[in-house]
């Protein structure tokens, strides 16, 4: 593998916005075990191992984020990317509490992150993700948020890949793209 770049990056238009609007977490007993890629390295297909269901969590705008931090040791010749998803769920209730408990017990989560630009990122693709922190908070004043902050972490040897349309794809939503790439997976 060459360590030299082969192109630059144009400035582009100022037409993107920040934030995360929805995440899907793989549940059940299976996991995604293989991927196919286009020429740019984006994910265009996935193979499942077992019974996989993607469970969706809707997030309010301006509350949740996905950050990838590069960590390099020049002396050791190593580099990796820490992926951190902060997802905020509103209104503390028993069902969310139960899901949070199970998420905290699973150290092998695979998560799809949909940003406000409808880009779908694969978090924890190889080494998986885990619930690394967060809190449940009732708030103090009447106008304060009541709910959960969930912090998921993954450490990978490269930045997150994104999903791209497979051949013959004609959908227009991130959910349709996920269903086209993860053809044997149930999306809830």
């Amino acid at each position: 593998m060459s360590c030299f770049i082969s192109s630059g990056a144009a400035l582009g238009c100022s037409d993107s916005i920040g934030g995360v609007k929805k995440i899907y977490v793989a549940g059940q007993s299976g996991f995604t075990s293989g991927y196919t890629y286009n020429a740019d390295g984006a994910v265009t297909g996935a193979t499942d191992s077992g019974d996989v269901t993607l469970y969706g969590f809707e997030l309010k705008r301006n509350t949740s984020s996905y950050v990838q931090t590069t960590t390099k040791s020049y002396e050791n010749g190593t580099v990796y990317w820490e992926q951190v998803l902060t997802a905020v769920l509103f209104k503390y209730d028993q069902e969310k509490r139960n899901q949070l408990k199970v998420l905290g017990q699973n150290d092998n989560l695979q998560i799809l992150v949909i940003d406000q630009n409808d880009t779908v990122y694969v978090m924890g693709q190889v080494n998986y993700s885990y619930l690394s922190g967060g809190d449940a908070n009732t708030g103090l004043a009447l106008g304060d948020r009541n709910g959960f902050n969930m912090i998921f972490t993954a450490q990978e040897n490269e930045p997150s890949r994104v999903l791209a349309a497979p051949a013959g794809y004609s959908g227009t939503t991130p959910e349709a793209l996920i269903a086209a790439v993860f053809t044997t997976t149930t999306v809830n």
Side-chain angles (χ1 to χ4, degrees):
M1 178 179 114
S2 173
C3 294
F4 299 105
I5 62 172
S6 60
S7 66
L11 180 59
C13 301
S14 297
D15 61 353
S16 66
I17 55 176
V20 174
K21 66 178 174 182
K22 192 168 189 176
I23 62 171
Y24 284 94
V25 179
Q28 304 281 333
S29 59
F31 57 91
T32 303
S33 58
Y35 295 90
T36 56
Y37 308 101
N38 66 14
D40 292 329
V43 176
T44 58
T47 305
D48 296 333
S49 169
D51 183 21
V52 178
T53 300
L54 293 172
Y55 293 98
F57 293 81
E58 293 181 352
L59 308 170
K60 288 189 177 185
R61 67 179 172 270
N62 302 322
T63 64
S64 302
S65 65
Y66 184 54
V67 177
Q68 299 182 77
T69 303
T70 306
T71 301
K72 180 177 177 97
S73 171
Y74 176 78
E75 298 79 13
N76 294 330
T78 59
V79 63
Y80 69 93
W81 282 262
E82 183 164 83
Q83 304 164 352
V84 177
L85 167 67
T86 302
V88 176
L89 300 179
F90 288 79
K91 193 172 181 185
Y92 189 110
D93 61 38
Q94 189 65 32
E95 181 180 348
K96 289 182 193 119
R97 175 252 177 226
N98 292 345
Q99 293 303 322
L100 180 67
K101 179 182 174 194
V102 172
L103 288 170
Q105 295 170 337
N106 189 338
D107 293 335
N108 296 311
L109 298 171
Q110 291 177 318
I111 302 174
L112 299 178
V113 180
I114 304 173
D115 74 8
Q116 292 290 349
N117 303 295
D118 288 339
T119 301
V120 182
Y121 303 85
V122 182
M123 179 182 182
Q125 180 177 346
V126 176
N127 297 322
Y128 305 106
S129 306
Y130 60 96
L131 182 66
S132 59
D135 61 60
N137 196 327
T138 63
L140 178 66
L142 292 177
D144 291 348
R145 179 173 29 89
N146 175 299
F148 300 91
N149 293 312
M150 300 184 302
I151 301 170
F152 297 93
T153 302
Q155 294 174 328
E156 298 287 331
N157 67 339
E158 59 184 33
S160 287
R161 293 183 188 262
V162 298
L163 298 191
Y169 174 75
S170 61
T172 59
T173 66
E175 288 77 12
L177 178 59
I178 290 168
V181 171
F182 294 85
T183 57
T184 60
T185 300
T186 303
V187 180
N188 283 342

